[in-house]
Amino acid sequence: MSNKIQPAFVTFTGVDKSALIAELIDLSKRYPIEWGILVDPEQEDNNLFPTLEERLKVQSSGLRLSAHICGIPATEIVQGKNPDYLQLSGFSRLQINHSRDGSTEEQISNAHRFASSMGMRAALQCQGDFPDEPRADWLYDVSFGLGAKPTTWPPMGPKSTFCGYSGGLSPKTIESTFSVLPLTESDNKQFWVDMESGVRTDGWLDLDKCEQVCRLIFGQLDSSKNYS
């Protein structure tokens, strides 16, 4: 699979412990990875959502990171408010999980404004065709972290947008999924894939599974290159 169409990077969502930082850095040196951290102060009793103390340690690691903002803060952002209590330094993208029903023009504008004010890209979810809307990156997501695999996948959106795929991806499904994604050679390195539940074991992020996915997608990359 490694000689076929590849994503620009893989997002592994659900970094849960700062004790993993050294291993995250090592894997990031060998493969193009973005690490996603789920953010919601009201859910920090769930191991998917690290405490602020743990999260800030990861945010200061220098890794490529995205914040996946959920709950009340996500709603506040798309309403035009500024939840500065989240402390979002160290991220390059903010995925704002505010709704399963898509985003209105006003919500897209507010998400873009909030992320841009901190020098970051906004990312939003869609459940159908990728919108022709370059103010945000778009993740096709009908699973919402539950590991459900879509029955159909949309083709890539306009070249002015950056699009991603998620849903039921894991070491066991990544090859079969890539074989049916509606991608062409011109899409090579022009999209990303995101996975959460498929790279966890007993509820915790499993870096062995993450490495398996990377090997299946990218093969054995040149160890002299640093992708972090």
Side-chain angles (χ1 to χ4, degrees), residues 45-202:
D45 57 344
N46 179 336
N47 61 349
L48 275 168
F49 292 80
T51 64
L52 177 60
E53 180 182 5
E54 285 288 282
R55 175 160 62 81
L56 289 177
K57 291 177 183 177
V58 181
Q59 288 172 223
S60 64
S61 65
L63 290 160
R64 180 194 292 183
L65 301 172
S66 58
H68 295 232
I69 303 171
C70 304
I72 291 173
T75 300
E76 290 177 338
I77 290 170
V78 298
Q79 289 176 343
K81 301 174 184 177
N82 179 11
D84 53 8
Y85 56 85
L86 292 180
Q87 300 186 45
L88 297 172
S89 62
F91 292 106
S92 59
R93 295 202 301 168
L94 302 180
Q95 181 172 307
I96 302 155
N97 301 331
H98 70 93
S99 172
R100 297 189 179 190
D101 299 319
S103 302
T104 65
E105 162 63 28
E106 181 181 12
Q107 290 168 338
I108 294 169
S109 180
N110 286 334
H112 168 70
R113 185 182 304 112
F114 178 74
S116 296
S117 70
M118 293 181 285
M120 305 178 198
R121 286 285 298 171
L124 295 166
Q125 297 159 303
C126 63
Q127 289 78 50
D129 289 342
F130 291 114
D132 185 2
E133 174 50 75
R135 288 177 294 175
D137 299 338
W138 293 95
L139 179 68
Y140 177 69
D141 187 2
V142 297
S143 176
F144 305 102
L146 299 178
K149 188 174 182 179
T151 55
T152 60
W153 301 89
M156 288 291 291
K159 291 304 178 184
S160 59
T161 60
F162 187 46
C163 304
Y165 295 98
S166 69
L169 301 179
S170 72
K172 293 181 179 179
T173 65
I174 193 68
E175 289 185 294
S176 61
T177 299
F178 265 71
S179 70
V180 298
L181 285 178
L183 300 170
T184 66
E185 289 186 7
S186 65
D187 298 320
N188 190 43
K189 304 297 179 71
Q190 300 300 312
F191 67 101
W192 89 97
V193 293
D194 179 291
M195 57 199 77
E196 181 183 313
S197 61
V199 288
R200 304 185 79 78
T201 298
D202 297 327

